[in-house]
Structure formats: C-alpha cells, structure tokens
C-alpha cells in the first residue's frame, strides 16, 4: 500500500468525519522533544560484518558490501558483505557436506544437546552486547531487547536443547508377521530466511528446531538487520558447532533469497515475512526441487473488547497489542473491535494512553517506542522517522487501514453490537495469524476461541510468547507452526521400516 493511498484513505475516512480521531505528532528525526539531542552511542563495538560460511567469516565472492543503517538517524553503522547466488552456492555446498559427511547428524543426540546448552550459556553471558546490536540495527527500545528478547532467545535454545534427545519414532502393530517401526530423520539442508522486526527471536525460532533435529542450515538474514545474527553465530561455533552446520549469508531477497529458495541442493525452506514474498518463495521452491516450505506471514489480527470488559484494563492491553515493537509485529492487534456499550469510553481512554506513550531514542531509559526500521517502512505509514501513536475511531471494515497490514503504530478502532456480528467481521480477512479477546465471561470466551479463524487466540492477554507455545497462521498468514513440539515436524521426515518376522512368539 503506497503512502499516498494511505493518506487519501485516512483523509476521507477520519479527518473528514472528525469524531474522536487522534493523530499524534510526527517526528522528523527521533523525537520532537529530543530533536536537538545527539543520539546515544550504543555500548557495543561492531565485530563481524562478513558472511559466515563453513565455520569462517569470509568476504562475498563479488567483494560487494552494503550499508546497514541506524534507524534513528539513517547514518551508516557498518558495511556488511553482500551475498548473492555464488555465495549461496558456497554456503549450500558447506551445509551439504556437513550433513552428508560431517559429524553433526552422526553425533549422539546428547552431544548435540550439550552444544546447544553451551550456546545458551554464551548468549546469556553476552546479553548486553546482543541487545545493543539488536537495538542499534533495528531501533527497538534497548530495555525491550535486553530484558525481554535476549532472555527469550536464551530460553528458546535451552528449550530446543531439551528436545534433542527426545526425538524418536514409534513401534507399530501390523496385520501379519511383521515388525514395523518409524524413524524420525533430519530432513537435510534447511534454507531459512528471517525478517527484520525480531532478528534474534526469528533466528532462534528457525535455528533451534533445525539443529535439535540434526539438520544443517543456510540462513539469509534481513538486509536491514544483519548484525545480531552474525554475533550469535560466532558464539554458536564457540560452543562447539562443527563447521558447515550453520552458514549465514547477508544479502537481498531478489538475489540471495531467490537463490536459496530455488537451490536444488536445499531440502526445505522456512520463511518469515510478507504474504507477497511468501508466494514467491513457494513458487521458487515448487519450480526447483519441490522442497517442503513452511511460512509465517502477515496478519491483521482482531482484538475484541466485549461489553463486560474492564475498560481501563482493556485499553492498556489493546494499546500493548498494537504498539509493541513500534507496531512492527505480524500479529499486532491492528483491528480493535469494541462493543458499542463501552465504545465512547474506550476511545477517550485509548486516545489518552496513546498521548502518554514515550517516544524517542531507544537507548534512553524509559522509552517505549523507537524509530521505524527504515525510510521505506516509515514512508509506507505517514512519512516520519519516528511516529508517535496514531489512533483512529469510527473506522469501517472496508477502509484500507482496516484491511491492509500497515506494520506501524496505527490503531484502528471499530464498533460492534453482538458476538455473531463481530465473529463474521473478524473472520472476513484474508489473514488469520492471531486474535485477542477481552472478556470475563467464560461462555463468551469459549464461543470466540472456537469461532475465530486464527492460529493463536489470546484471552485477556496478548503477545504471550513461550518457547513451548506453537505459533502460525490460518489462510494467507502462512502454513506450518513455529516454536513448541510442532516446530520439530518442519525439520523431520518419517521413514517406515517393515521387517518380516519368522515364527514370531507374539504379534
């Protein structure tokens, strides 16, 4: 959706109506209040900017680099190696050799577990450096990176380390004198493409289950945020991961990403990003070697505030559901449906909460919201580097801001009369990633949790992520599940083994 289309739609649907609409201040650099302040210097040194292939940091085959930028200012943080098809070929060759000939899939599961646990310990030790890199490259608040996301990164790898020695097949009774068993085997070389909004967490969601199952990996990081994954991968090899098992290529989608998705020696591809790019990934996978594909894509998640809700609590939760991570969250509660009996009260309190949200340099303590990721993203929203929260009332389902994934701090609030109506409207979307329900009525909660067509339903909470909770979408929000035991299925294949029995004592 272009900026001009958004602005035309907002002008027609909200500004012309002029009822209960709040448009916050736009920040031309990193905040109005801090416009004359110098950005805080991040407490970390940039160490790794090359590709990571076969256990070594190497330049791109072409020698090219590209700048990764500070979202606060647009200044260059570092120049990073720009991988392309030739580098993907090198990385896949290393991963193929590591899987076919190397020690990783032949290690005992316990040995793989110990390496992943050592890695988690190193991540925990380097919490502050990882958090600083994540904030510097992405723009999210440092307190969010250091206190929430890096600890979750550690938790995820300890969780998958725990699974490494618990993956096994079944013994199956059959009609006849046969011994039947299934083997759960690693799928081989896994291609993985991660987005820029949660670089470290998406790294863990992909790398953790793939390694626990014994696969090797070629990962393409987002060109906007390559730095934290490089640092983490260095730590993973310090923990004892053999060369070639994990390979990291920074680069762009049309070159490195397309080469990975279409590579004949890659056995599966996992992608997190936009629905449009997910379609391209699927086509490339099908046209090459018909590799299996898992996709975690876009969303336009409903957040339903029922008539029995405590309005103050609902306002705070709805605010968090939308504005967390600068609104750059695929499962953001970006369609806030509020029952007509509490709608007016909710609007006024949502407006007041949005005005209070602290916006500025993400390295400053107490800041809730930093800059959008880059100029491309903020120009898609409202042409401002850092946007204070925007709240729109009297929104209708056919408006662009109620249908398209804006991926920014823009809250749309819609009114509904009864459950049947809101179920129909909430489900009338091409997306189905998540939904939120705020009610104290158990019957209402049970009705909505079953009726809403989405992969995750949060009841009286939102964005509750745990290593064991599966995450993924219905409809055009993707296929397959990340996290939890279900994610292991993405990286395993099942082999049936049938052995004839001669004079068995029992069947």
């Amino acid at each position: 959706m272009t900026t001009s289309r958004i602005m035309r739609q907002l002008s027609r649907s909200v500004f012309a109506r002029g009822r209960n609409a709040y448009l916050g201040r736009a920040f031309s650099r990193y905040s109005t209040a801090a416009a004359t302040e110098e950005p805080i210097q991040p407490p970390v040194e940039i160490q790794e900017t090359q590709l990571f292939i076969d256990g070594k940091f190497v330049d791109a085959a072409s020698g090219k680099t590209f700048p990764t930028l500070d979202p606060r200012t647009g200044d260059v943080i570092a120049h990073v190696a720009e991988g392309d098809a030739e580098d993907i070929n090198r990385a896949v060759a290393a991963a193929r050799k590591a899987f076919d000939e190397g020690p990783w899939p032949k290690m005992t599961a316990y040995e793989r577990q110990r390496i992943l646990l050592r890695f988690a310990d190193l991540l925990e030790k380097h919490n502050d450096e990882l958090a600083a890199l994540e904030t510097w490259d992405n723009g999210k608040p440092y307190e969010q990176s250091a206190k929430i996301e890096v600890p979750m990164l550690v938790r995820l790898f300890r969780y998958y380390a725990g699974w490494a020695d618990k993956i096994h097949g079944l013994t199956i009774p059959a009609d006849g004198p046969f011994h039947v068993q299934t083997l759960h085997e690693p799928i081989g070389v896994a291609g993985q493409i991660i987005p820029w909004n949660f670089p470290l967490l998406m790294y863990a969601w992909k790398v953790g289950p793939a390694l626990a199952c014994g696969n090797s990996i070629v990962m393409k990081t987002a060109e906007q945020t390559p730095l934290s994954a490089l640092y983490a991968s260095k730590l993973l090899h310090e923990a004892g991961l053999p060369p070639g098992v994990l390979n990291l290529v920074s680069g762009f989608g049309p070159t490195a990403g397309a080469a990975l998705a279409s590579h004949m020696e890659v056995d599966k591809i996992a992608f997190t990003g936009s629905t449009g790019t997910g379609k391209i990934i699927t086509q490339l996978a099908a046209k090459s070697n018909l590799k299996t594909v898992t996709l975690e894509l876009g969303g336009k998640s409903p957040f339903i505030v029922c008539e029995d809700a405590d309005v103050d609590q609902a306002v705070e939760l709805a605010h968090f559901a939308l504005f967390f991570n600068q609104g750059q969250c695929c499962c953001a509660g970006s369609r806030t449906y509020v029952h007509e009996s509490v709608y007016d009260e909710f609007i006024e309190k949502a407006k007041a909460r949005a005005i209070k949200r602290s916006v500025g340099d993400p390295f400053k303590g107490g800041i809730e919201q930093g800059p959008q990721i880059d100029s491309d993203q903020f120009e898609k929203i409202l042409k401002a580097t850092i946007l204070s929260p925007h709240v729109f009332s009297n929104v209708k389902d056919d408006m662009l801001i109620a249908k398209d994934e804006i991926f920014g701090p823009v809250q749309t609030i819609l009114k509904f009369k009864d459950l049947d109506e809101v179920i129909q409207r909430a489900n009338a979307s091409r997306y189905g990633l998540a939904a939120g329900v705020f009610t104290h009525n158990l019957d209402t909660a049970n009705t909505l949790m079953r009726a809403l067509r989405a992969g995750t339903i949060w009841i009286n909470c939102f964005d509750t992520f745990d290593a064991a909770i599966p995450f993924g979408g219905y409809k055009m929000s993707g296929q397959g599940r990340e996290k939890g035991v279900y994610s292991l299925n993405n990286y395993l294949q099942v082999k049936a083994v049938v052995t004839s029995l001669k004079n068995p004592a029992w069947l």
Side-chain angles (χ1 to χ4, degrees):
M1 176 170 51
T2 65
T3 302
S4 60
R5 286 177 64 207
I6 293 175
M7 291 304 296
R8 287 197 301 271
Q9 182 69 33
L10 296 183
S11 179
R12 289 196 301 268
S13 66
V14 180
F15 301 143
R17 296 172 184 266
R19 295 195 303 269
N20 296 324
Y22 168 71
L23 198 61
R25 302 178 303 277
F27 291 78
S28 62
R29 203 161 176 82
Y30 46 95
S31 84
T32 299
T36 61
E37 296 178 9
E38 286 297 317
I40 295 171
Q41 178 62 34
V44 66
E45 297 292 330
I46 305 301
Q47 297 180 10
E48 309 301 345
T49 60
Q50 296 172 291
L51 310 180
F52 191 71
I53 298 176
D54 204 15
K56 300 175 183 176
F57 284 102
V58 296
D59 292 331
S62 66
K64 290 182 180 179
T65 64
F66 66 93
T68 184
L69 306 179
D70 185 336
R72 301 172 297 172
T73 62
D75 294 339
V76 175
I77 300 173
H79 288 86
V80 178
E82 181 182 336
D84 57 21
E86 176 59 30
D87 301 295
I88 292 293
N89 288 338
R90 290 195 292 163
V92 172
R96 186 84 265 164
K97 182 178 180 180
F99 183 78
D100 292 343
E101 304 174 22
W104 183 249
K106 299 178 180 66
M107 281 184 184
T108 67
Y110 177 60
E111 290 176 299
R112 292 200 301 272
Q113 180 187 77
R114 292 181 65 192
I115 290 173
L116 292 176
L117 288 173
R118 285 198 296 270
F119 177 45
D121 291 343
L122 287 171
L123 292 172
E124 192 167 52
K125 179 180 178 181
H126 293 274
N127 181 97
D128 294 351
E129 297 98 315
L130 286 161
L133 285 173
E134 192 82 333
T135 291
W136 197 0
D137 219 10
N138 174 276
K140 65 182 63 191
Y142 176 76
E143 291 176 349
Q144 175 183 322
S145 297
K147 297 179 181 179
I148 299 174
E149 295 188 17
V150 177
M152 178 55 72
L153 172 75
V154 175
R155 178 69 180 93
L156 283 158
F157 276 102
R158 287 182 176 146
Y159 174 83
Y160 284 113
W163 269 113
D165 62 353
K166 299 171 185 66
I167 297 169
H168 54 79
L170 301 172
T171 300
I172 303 169
D175 295 336
F178 303 100
H179 173 78
V180 182
Q181 67 185 97
T182 58
L183 302 177
H184 292 184
E185 300 182 341
I187 202 166
V189 176
Q192 301 177 332
I193 302 174
I194 60 173
W196 49 259
N197 56 335
F198 293 97
L200 283 172
L201 290 181
M202 297 302 99
Y203 176 95
W205 286 18
K206 299 286 191 294
V207 172
L211 292 185
C213 294
N215 298 277
S216 60
I217 299 169
V218 178
M219 173 178 282
K220 191 199 87 68
T221 52
E223 59 269 25
Q224 298 91 339
T225 54
L227 298 178
S228 57
L230 288 168
Y231 193 98
S233 297
K234 179 184 71 172
L235 297 179
L236 181 49
H237 279 261
E238 286 182 19
L241 191 74
V245 177
L246 173 65
N247 305 273
L248 221 62
V249 177
S250 50
F252 295 86
T255 50
L260 184 58
S262 59
H263 204 288
M264 295 296 291
E265 290 297 318
V266 172
D267 299 302
K268 84 145 295 96
I269 192 82
F271 170 77
T272 296
S274 72
T275 297
T277 304
K279 291 181 179 181
I280 296 171
I281 295 290
T282 303
Q283 292 171 352
L284 293 172
K287 289 179 179 179
S288 52
N289 59 347
L290 207 62
K291 59 180 67 67
T292 61
V293 179
T294 53
L295 304 169
E296 196 263 281
L297 306 176
K300 193 70 177 176
S301 300
F303 183 97
I304 300 171
V305 180
C306 298
E307 59 185 317
D308 66 326
D310 179 308
V311 174
D312 291 334
Q313 293 178 3
V315 165
E316 186 62 34
L317 191 58
H319 181 89
F320 173 74
L322 187 283
F323 295 111
F324 176 66
N325 206 54
Q326 291 73 252
Q328 298 170 149
C329 189
C330 55
C331 59
S334 52
R335 289 184 293 152
T336 305
Y337 288 95
V338 180
H339 191 272
E340 61 181 5
S341 66
V342 295
Y343 186 84
D344 290 341
E345 180 185 0
F346 187 96
I347 287 292
E348 289 305 314
K349 291 182 175 179
K351 171 182 173 180
R353 177 62 180 92
I355 291 172
K356 291 179 181 178
R357 188 169 181 84
S358 58
V359 181
D361 190 319
F363 282 101
K364 185 177 181 180
I367 291 297
E368 296 178 278
Q369 183 173 313
Q372 307 309 123
I373 181 68
D374 60 17
S375 59
D376 289 342
Q377 181 61 22
F378 64 68
E379 285 172 5
K380 289 178 182 177
I381 307 171
L382 289 172
K383 293 199 172 199
T385 307
I386 290 186
L387 301 172
S388 62
H390 291 56
V391 178
F392 293 94
S393 66
N394 299 303
V395 177
K396 305 301 179 185
D397 293 310
D398 60 351
M399 296 177 179
L400 289 178
I401 56 173
K403 295 192 299 182
D404 289 358
E405 185 181 34
I406 297 174
F407 225 62
V410 179
Q411 185 178 32
T412 61
I413 306 179
L414 308 90
K415 185 186 296 184
F416 75 93
K417 293 182 179 180
D418 57 53
L419 283 187
D420 289 340
E421 173 200 329
V422 78
I423 289 168
Q424 187 276 324
R425 292 169 64 190
N427 285 336
S429 170
R430 61 185 178 272
Y431 299 114
L433 190 55
V437 174
F438 202 85
T439 180
H440 295 301
N441 187 306
L442 183 59
D443 291 334
T444 298
N446 282 329
T447 296
L448 288 170
M449 77 169 72
R450 287 165 171 78
L452 294 172
R453 293 190 52 75
T456 299
I457 310 295
W458 284 297
I459 299 174
N460 297 328
C461 60
F462 207 90
D463 280 345
T464 299
F465 289 101
D466 184 274
I469 300 174
F471 184 78
Y474 286 24
K475 299 185 280 187
M476 293 179 71
S477 288
Q479 56 194 38
R481 293 294 180 268
E482 307 268 19
K483 299 193 293 111
V485 63
Y486 296 93
S487 65
L488 301 175
N489 297 332
N490 301 333
Y491 298 99
L492 294 169
Q493 47 194 354
V494 178
K495 177 183 288 181
V497 180
V498 183
T499 304
S500 177
L501 298 176
K502 186 175 183 180
N503 297 323
W506 53 270
L507 291 176

